[in-house]
Amino acid sequence: MIGYILRRLVALGLTLLAAALVIFVVLEILPGDPAAVTLGLNAAPEALAALRTEMGLDKPAALRFFIWLGGLVTGDLGQSYTYRVPVLQLITERMAVTLPLALMAIALAMAIGIPLGMLAASRHGRLADAGVMAFAQAGLAIPNFWFGLLLVLVFAVGLGWLPAGGFPGWQAGIGVSLKALLMPALALALPQAAIIARVTRSSMLDTLQEDFVRTARAKGLSEGTTMRRHALRNALIPVVTILGLQFSVLIAGAIIIENVFALPGLGRLVFQAIAQHDLIVVKDLVMLFAGLAILINFAVELLYGLLDPRLRQA
Amino acid sequence: MTRRELLAGAGLAALAAQLPVVALAQAKDSVTIAQTLEPPTLDPTSGAAQAIREVTLQNIFEGLVKIDRTGKLQPCLAESWQIADDNVTYRFKLRQGAKFHDDTPFTSEQVKFSFERAVAADSTNAQRQLFTPIAEITTPDPATVVIKLKQPTANFLFGLAWGDAVIVAPATAANNKTNPVGTGPFKFVRWNRGDRLELARNDSYWGEKPALAKAVFRFMSDPQAQVAALRAGDVDAHTNLSAPEAVPQLKADPKLKVTIGGTEGETVLGINNAKPPFDNLKVRQAIAHALDRKTIALGVYGFDVNLIGSHFSPLHPAYVDLTGTYPYDPAKAKALLAEAGFPNGFNCTLKLPPPSYARRSGEIVAALLAQVGINAAIEPLEFPQWLERVFRNKDYDLSIIAHTEPLDIDIYARDGYYFQYKDPSFKELIAKIAVTLPEAERNELYKQAQRKLAQDAVNGFLFILPKITVANAALEGMWTDWPLPVTPLAELRWR
């Protein structure tokens, strides 16, 4: 087992290194000088040269790669070209928006999707079932930025209940901040809720065929109690699996939603960094996302290895 | 349903909810201003991004002089000044009692420090050419600065009103990017990157105290988000809306006030004058005759904006209307092309940077050029790539971009500038303007320069970027025009 883990660890290290190299090279061959972007059309050559030195762009590419790599290992992600603050600080600031947003979206998606799925399963083949399926179809088909705009028009412009966008910052108070996240979270949650409703419904229908459910019914339990106490728990296993898989989709969707609602999250940071040619931030963020994906993969592989001894020989 | 229909539909629903917002606004002593771009840093001497000046200039930082809303030069940290008969010695009398936000008294020392810092070897000041004419700075006493120039420099004072020439203190200068300390009427409070910047009134300001105690700049780049925030009352004003198509709808809203003003942003169809066939005057004239400016501007904005016939803004007193130099005349354009040896036209490329004015006018320009036989293939570029390929390497035929620096007609006299216009007589003219101090004389020379560029059809001169200001009807004092892109908060008040 230890040998297996060691082998996988070496592979993990090599994969991360390869990812870093690819990211660096790809961004390196992009035309465009970050210093020129900062100083604009009228910049004097002397000022440009000074800024390039300040940004460390005058060093050869290979050296910059190793400086960057060394920084990644020691937790120093470098300094943003545009904001001139440590990238790590930027990422933590933005995480404080994106993470609560994603969690809120998941909570909303479950709160909407699971009851709807259960309702559809219990009314299988009837009107309520058809209604839920239609909702799920629409939820998947409607782009979430469009749904977001619709929410803004109704609840911000029309009714004036919620702010149209922006984020006051947690220091302004939890209530105000949660209020600012509500609509974007709802927009993000809609397609997730649709998926969850579908999965809950079909998994519930399967579970309801099981022997233990028949037993519960035979004991004389009401249909509702049977569903909640016995069927739901088992039916939720595939739902949880789907939720795990959907987490990365949520983060990707957040990029769009954060722009629609002008939220200062990680997604918006990626967007801005690309537009402003803040290559160091782009590099760090892409590496962060790639690293997360590689690590999750690694954890899954380890898990499989634990469960199935045959795989350890591979 | 399109987005616009949606907006219109919800607008009706919104009318009822709008009345209480106006009532509430009257007791306010704070303001929330939205602008499209976020400043990358808060130090106007460290980068060219216009957003930096929009937020900080005349609010947090001040220069010796300032530009007012009509484009006139006014005293600021310098109370008055005299120019000696030699035309190179400037004696500034400084404001007494002015202080930096950290209570450091403002003296002549900081003026000397700021300007010497701007031309130092490691300076990243984007406009260091403003300071290169300086030969010597002396400080006879704390309230006096004497600046001696190497040669008479006509626009020296004007340049001192720019964000790049603000006065900073030695102890705080290095931190101004993230924690700006200036002498202005507002102090920096907090910056939530990606969202908002909070400022508070500087109660020990040397000048008239601002009416508002607090101001927030909000940064929103999405045009739909801008319109929604204005209509929901989340923001009190937008300095320059990015959604011209929303203007009629916003104008119809009694809660809001919309003005269309001018800027210094000359939008040009840049032509690579050194590259055949564009080195042929007849070809450039043909292009000029093929451009229907009115249609282009209307297509981009949906309302009338200032059209130009040369590289000069109508906001300046020396402006001459040269839009008639080569009137829209496709038949003439075809004839000129035939004379130049292209009876069947030719193919070329049109490289476009990301701003929507460039992309939108690019489509129309390409269509107009196609009518006379010039087939311009559109190539959209990201801004860094545009800077690299078009601006630096001059690897282009045609391109569209707005030049937003005030009074930048001298770029046509610069060696290696991307238009590749090389005309000795024009260079001479610009050199003469640079040393001609009497304003009337200088304006005459500016007029000559404009005519020369128009006649040589150096670029396709299109229109001036408009400033679309949308504000709460009860908010007074927003700038309508942008002789310099700033938003002085001290001039705002609630009615």
Side-chain angles (χ1 to χ4, degrees):
Chain A
M1 185 66 198
I2 302 214
Y4 170 75
I5 293 180
L6 276 180
R7 274 201 306 278
R8 300 315 305 167
L9 269 178
V10 171
L12 171 79
L14 287 176
T15 318
L16 284 172
L17 190 68
L21 190 64
V22 169
I23 290 166
F24 187 87
V25 169
V26 166
L27 290 178
E28 194 61 33
I29 54 172
L30 267 187
D33 175 356
V37 175
T38 305
L39 291 182
L41 298 191
N42 280 16
E46 300 93 321
L48 258 180
L51 188 59
R52 289 181 62 86
T53 313
E54 195 181 308
M55 289 174 164
L57 292 169
D58 53 340
K59 299 189 179 80
L63 183 58
R64 275 187 290 128
F65 176 68
F66 285 111
I67 293 175
W68 179 57
L69 208 59
L72 284 181
V73 176
T74 56
D76 172 12
L77 301 186
Q79 233 197 16
S80 158
Y81 292 153
T82 41
Y83 283 126
R84 313 286 182 91
V85 293
V87 181
L88 195 61
Q89 181 195 334
L90 281 181
I91 292 180
T92 10
E93 277 172 19
R94 301 302 176 101
M95 274 288 195
V97 179
T98 300
L99 214 56
L101 176 67
L103 291 176
M104 215 165 147
I106 288 183
L108 280 171
M110 286 170 64
I112 299 167
I114 293 176
L116 280 181
M118 283 174 68
L119 178 77
S122 65
R123 303 272 193 285
H124 181 48
R126 282 189 270 167
L127 192 63
D129 185 21
V132 170
M133 291 313 283
F135 159 81
Q137 194 61 46
L140 283 173
I142 292 174
N144 53 13
F145 77 87
W146 188 87
F147 184 58
L149 282 172
L150 197 72
L151 288 175
V152 169
L153 285 172
V154 175
F155 293 103
V157 177
L159 298 168
W161 291 350
L162 294 165
F167 188 70
W170 292 105
Q171 78 276 355
I174 291 190
V176 201
S177 301
L178 288 181
K179 220 172 151 185
L181 290 182
L182 188 59
M183 277 199 296
L186 202 58
L188 264 180
L190 181 73
Q192 306 298 324
I195 293 173
I196 291 176
R198 276 185 163 189
V199 174
T200 309
R201 175 182 173 273
S202 63
S203 144
M204 201 72 178
L205 285 177
D206 289 346
T207 315
L208 288 177
Q209 311 296 319
E210 300 277 343
D211 288 344
F212 68 87
V213 175
R214 205 176 311 141
T215 313
R217 281 192 184 127
K219 277 196 305 190
L221 288 178
S222 76
E223 187 64 24
T225 317
T226 311
M227 282 190 78
R228 273 193 307 276
R229 222 183 276 160
H230 294 273
L232 181 60
R233 222 176 268 178
N234 287 284
L236 277 187
I237 294 169
V239 175
V240 172
T241 316
I242 290 284
L243 270 180
L245 289 174
Q246 288 292 313
F247 197 78
S248 54
V249 178
L250 264 179
I251 295 287
I255 296 181
I256 299 163
I257 285 300
E258 282 172 8
N259 275 293
V260 169
F261 287 92
L263 287 180
L266 271 186
R268 191 119 171 279
L269 184 64
V270 180
F271 221 76
Q272 284 179 327
I274 293 172
Q276 294 163 341
H277 222 53
D278 197 346
L279 294 185
I280 187 100
V281 173
V282 179
K283 257 184 257 178
D284 286 343
L285 281 175
V286 175
M287 191 63 211
L288 178 76
F289 294 144
L292 274 179
I294 293 169
L295 281 176
I296 288 172
N297 230 343
F298 174 70
V300 171
E301 265 182 52
L302 272 191
L303 216 60
Y304 286 163
L306 278 176
L307 296 176
D308 189 346
R310 283 169 304 178
L311 285 174
R312 294 177 213 157
Q313 313 305 324
Chain B
M1 219 193 272
T2 66
R3 284 192 198 180
R4 200 179 304 180
E5 281 169 334
L6 263 173
L7 284 168
L12 293 172
L15 272 174
Q18 279 162 4
L19 297 166
V21 178
V22 178
L24 268 176
Q26 284 169 356
K28 277 169 97 174
D29 70 343
S30 69
V31 71
T32 304
I33 307 276
Q35 69 177 42
T36 301
L37 293 177
E38 178 175 36
T41 77
L42 299 177
D43 180 356
T45 70
S46 76
Q50 179 172 313
I52 306 178
R53 297 88 183 272
E54 285 181 45
V55 167
T56 62
L57 186 57
Q58 299 192 19
N59 289 327
I60 299 174
F61 291 109
E62 295 176 312
L64 290 183
V65 291
K66 67 176 183 185
I67 296 286
D68 69 12
R69 60 176 70 219
T70 65
K72 285 207 184 62
L73 201 65
Q74 302 287 355
C76 192
L77 282 175
E79 210 172 84
S80 62
W81 56 88
Q82 288 164 330
I83 306 172
D85 291 339
D86 60 4
N87 277 342
V88 293
T89 312
Y90 289 63
R91 192 180 190 87
F92 294 92
K93 186 162 175 264
L94 303 183
R95 195 73 64 178
Q96 294 292 288
K99 275 194 291 187
F100 283 86
H101 299 148
D102 63 352
D103 283 336
T104 309
F106 164 69
T107 67
S108 53
E109 275 311 309
Q110 291 124 3
V111 179
K112 185 174 159 75
F113 167 77
S114 300
F115 293 175
E116 284 177 356
R117 174 176 175 259
V119 278
D122 61 349
S123 160
T124 55
N125 193 305
Q127 307 291 338
R128 69 194 276 150
Q129 83 278 359
L130 294 178
F131 310 95
T132 44
I134 299 177
E136 192 191 17
I137 306 174
T138 47
T139 53
D141 63 72
T144 311
V145 175
V146 180
I147 299 180
K148 222 174 148 111
L149 304 182
K150 294 168 191 155
Q151 71 214 27
T153 308
N155 283 321
F156 179 64
L157 266 183
F158 178 69
L160 292 189
W162 293 20
D164 313 83
V166 296
I167 308 303
V168 297
T172 46
N175 296 326
N176 278 342
K177 284 181 187 127
T178 50
N179 186 21
V181 176
T183 57
F186 280 85
K187 289 192 285 194
F188 169 76
V189 177
R190 181 187 297 120
W191 180 15
N192 288 354
R193 280 184 194 74
D195 189 61
R196 69 189 63 203
L197 179 89
E198 291 180 31
L199 303 174
R201 177 168 56 208
N202 170 13
D203 285 314
S204 50
Y205 185 56
W206 57 265
E208 197 191 323
K209 301 276 178 299
L212 301 171
K214 198 185 145 194
V216 178
F217 278 103
R218 292 267 312 265
F219 313 111
M220 28 185 81
S221 48
D222 186 82
Q224 300 303 331
Q226 294 172 8
V227 174
L230 280 163
R231 302 197 44 215
D234 283 7
V235 299
D236 300 310
H238 196 289
T239 56
N240 193 4
L241 198 75
S242 319
E245 61 277 0
V247 162
Q249 174 208 358
L250 293 171
K251 271 189 170 161
D253 189 334
K255 191 184 60 160
L256 300 171
K257 187 170 55 185
V258 183
T259 57
I260 312 287
T263 66
E264 284 283 336
E266 293 93 1
T267 311
V268 299
L269 169 69
I271 302 177
N272 194 342
N273 278 249
K275 193 175 170 189
F278 306 101
D279 54 347
N280 184 332
L281 175 64
K282 288 203 166 97
V283 170
R284 295 199 306 272
Q285 285 171 329
I287 293 175
H289 276 302
L291 298 175
D292 180 1
R293 297 181 182 88
K294 214 173 158 57
T295 299
I296 297 167
L298 212 58
V300 173
Y301 291 104
F303 45 80
D304 282 327
V305 301
N306 284 320
L307 306 176
I308 48 170
S310 187
H311 197 99
F312 219 73
S313 166
L315 291 183
H316 195 276
Y319 172 76
V320 248
D321 183 357
L322 294 165
T323 48
T325 313
Y326 298 108
Y328 175 56
D329 187 347
K332 187 97 183 274
K334 274 188 198 160
L336 279 163
L337 277 181
E339 277 178 49
F342 299 97
N344 301 316
F346 57 85
N347 295 332
C348 61
T349 61
L350 172 57
K351 294 198 163 103
L352 300 176
S356 65
Y357 70 79
R359 296 271 164 94
R360 290 183 194 185
S361 47
E363 300 282 344
I364 307 167
V365 165
L368 287 166
L369 290 178
Q371 283 183 358
V372 301
I374 301 174
N375 294 308
I378 290 178
E379 271 183 47
L381 293 178
E382 288 308 308
F383 189 61
Q385 281 81 334
W386 184 90
L387 273 178
E388 181 88 7
R389 290 170 61 187
V390 177
F391 190 73
R392 208 169 116 216
N393 295 334
K394 293 133 202 147
D395 167 25
Y396 80 110
D397 298 329
L398 303 170
S399 182
I400 294 176
I401 198 160
H403 285 257
T404 53
E405 297 291 350
L407 270 185
D408 58 356
I409 195 169
D410 64 303
I411 55 180
Y412 291 82
R414 277 188 208 169
D415 290 321
Y417 209 72
Y418 75 109
F419 310 135
Q420 309 232 62
Y421 175 62
K422 295 159 192 149
D423 186 282
S425 70
F426 186 83
K427 268 192 167 172
E428 253 170 59
L429 200 53
I430 291 296
K432 207 165 151 196
I433 288 173
V435 297
T436 304
L437 265 58
E439 205 176 332
E441 240 175 88
R442 191 166 71 241
N443 285 352
E444 267 320 302
L445 295 172
Y446 269 134
K447 287 176 185 172
Q448 282 184 36
Q450 292 171 59
R451 291 196 183 98
K452 173 80 179 146
L453 292 184
Q455 270 145 22
D456 283 357
V458 181
N459 284 328
F461 300 103
L462 304 176
F463 55 86
I464 291 286
L465 288 186
K467 167 171 158 67
I468 308 173
T469 314
V470 186
N472 187 311
L475 182 70
E476 289 175 342
M478 286 292 288
W479 279 26
T480 311
D481 291 324
W482 256 350
L484 206 62
V486 287
T487 307
L489 299 166
E491 297 177 25
L492 301 179
R493 60 185 68 243
W494 289 101
R495 180 160 45 81

